[in-house]
Every structure is written in structure tokens, then in C-alpha cells.
Amino acid sequence: MVVFYLTVTDLKQFFYCPRIIYFTYVLPVERKVTAKMQEGALAHLEAVRLEGRRSLKAFKLEEGQRIFRTPLVSDRLGLAGILDMHIVTPAGCFPVEFKDTNRPLSVNHKYQLAAYVLLLEEHYGKPVRGGFIYYLPRKTARYIEVTPGMRVHVKDKLKKIRSLIERQIFPEAPRRRGRCVDCEYKNFCGDVG
């Protein structure tokens, strides 16, 4: 039985920096909304507005129905999230995550998409093999196949997140300290300049 639901955003944040989970659930602090976060939210809204009028060319799909902002919940995984978009085609269902970046695919985005694959499978009761990261600045999509190993990794990380919360462990700082520069929690870490 699930005690509480984690969100797909929690999983994404855990990959980015586990301390975000700590400051969200263990020692909740007022979260500062950064300019980067505001810009991302506005870009997502604009993408939804424009995407409904575009063809599926960026996804290399000839036909399909776009469905936006789908709430998904899995009692089995104890996981919930709101998917940016998914495309339902005769060949299958494809989750789509919008990203307002020109940077290469990041690990946290890859596993965010993998979590949505698991949620969509449960939602539709059909296999979902992968999905797309849609890069808003370039208007291009990248297909990511979600392997069995990735599925196991998502479930393992969900267990680790629950353990961090239940044991109230303050995680180590991320190895890539550049992430701390724009972090909404950097003032609470104590070891980040």
C-alpha cells in the first residue's frame, strides 16, 4: 500500500540533485522561484498553444492525436505526474516532454521520460516502448527508447527517494557544482558558495 505519492518531477529532481528532495519533504523550506523556472513555465504554455497547430513531422509520425497535460497516477509505483503531451497513433502511444534548452539530453530528463512511459503503460494497459524529448528552441524532437534497464532504474530510484525521506538523510552535494548557481535551494545547503 502506498503511503504517499512521489511525482515524476521528484524523480527528475533526484537525478539532478537529491538535496531538492530533502528540502521538499524532509525539511520543507520556502522555495524561491527562479527566473529560469519562470521562463520554462512560460515556454511550456506557449508550446502547448502552438503545438496543436503543427504537423507531427518533428516526431517522424504521419498521423496521431495529441493529448496535452494528462494527469497520470500509478498506485503500483506510488507515482503521479502531469505529462506535457502524448501522441496516440495506430502504432502506439508516445509520451512527449517539452524542454526549453539547447543542451544535449540530460540524465534527469531521460529518466523523467522513462517514468512517463511507465505511467502511460499503466494508464492505457498497453506497452509503450519510448517517447520524445521536444526541444522548444530548435522545434526538434528526439526519440528515446526506454529499455528494460531504464525501467528498473526508475523503480530503484523511487525506492531510494522514499528511503531518503523516511530516514531523513541529508544527501551529499552534487558532483557538478555548476548546478548550484541557479538553484532555488542553494541558500539552505550550507556548503555551496
Side-chain angles (χ1 to χ4, degrees), residues 111-184:
Y111 284 100
Q112 178 185 25
L113 184 68
Y116 279 123
V117 163
L118 295 173
L119 288 172
L120 269 184
E121 278 185 338
E122 197 166 316
H123 181 76
Y124 283 105
K126 296 179 181 179
V128 176
R129 301 195 190 305
F132 295 94
I133 301 290
Y134 185 80
Y135 295 97
L136 297 171
R138 300 188 301 244
K139 297 178 181 60
T140 60
R142 178 175 174 185
Y143 179 77
I144 308 295
E145 180 181 352
V146 176
T147 65
M150 289 171 68
R151 294 164 188 269
V152 169
H153 198 56
V154 165
K155 293 171 188 173
D156 179 56
K157 291 298 181 189
L158 290 172
K159 288 178 188 171
K160 287 183 178 180
I161 293 169
R162 288 183 190 287
S163 176
L164 182 155
I165 294 166
E166 290 163 9
R167 295 174 57 212
Q168 300 184 359
I169 299 167
F170 187 65
E172 293 293 321
R175 287 190 305 253
R176 295 172 60 195
R177 291 300 190 96
R179 294 177 171 181
C180 303
V181 172
D182 292 326
C183 180
E184 64 267 34

Side-chain angles (χ1 to χ4, degrees), residues 2-3 8 49 53 57 70 72 80-81 89 102 138 155 167 172 177 189:
V2 174
V3 176
V8 176
R49 187 181 75 75
R53 299 185 300 192
K57 184 179 177 183
T70 305
L72 299 166
T89 73
N102 280 313
R138 300 188 301 244
K155 293 171 188 173
R167 295 174 57 212
E172 293 293 321
R177 291 300 190 96
C189 285

Side-chain angles (χ1 to χ4, degrees), residues 56-57 60-66 87-92 94:
L56 295 169
K57 184 179 177 183
K60 297 184 174 88
L61 298 171
E62 292 182 20
E63 62 178 314
Q65 177 190 6
R66 288 179 176 89
I87 304 168
V88 179
T89 73
F94 302 92

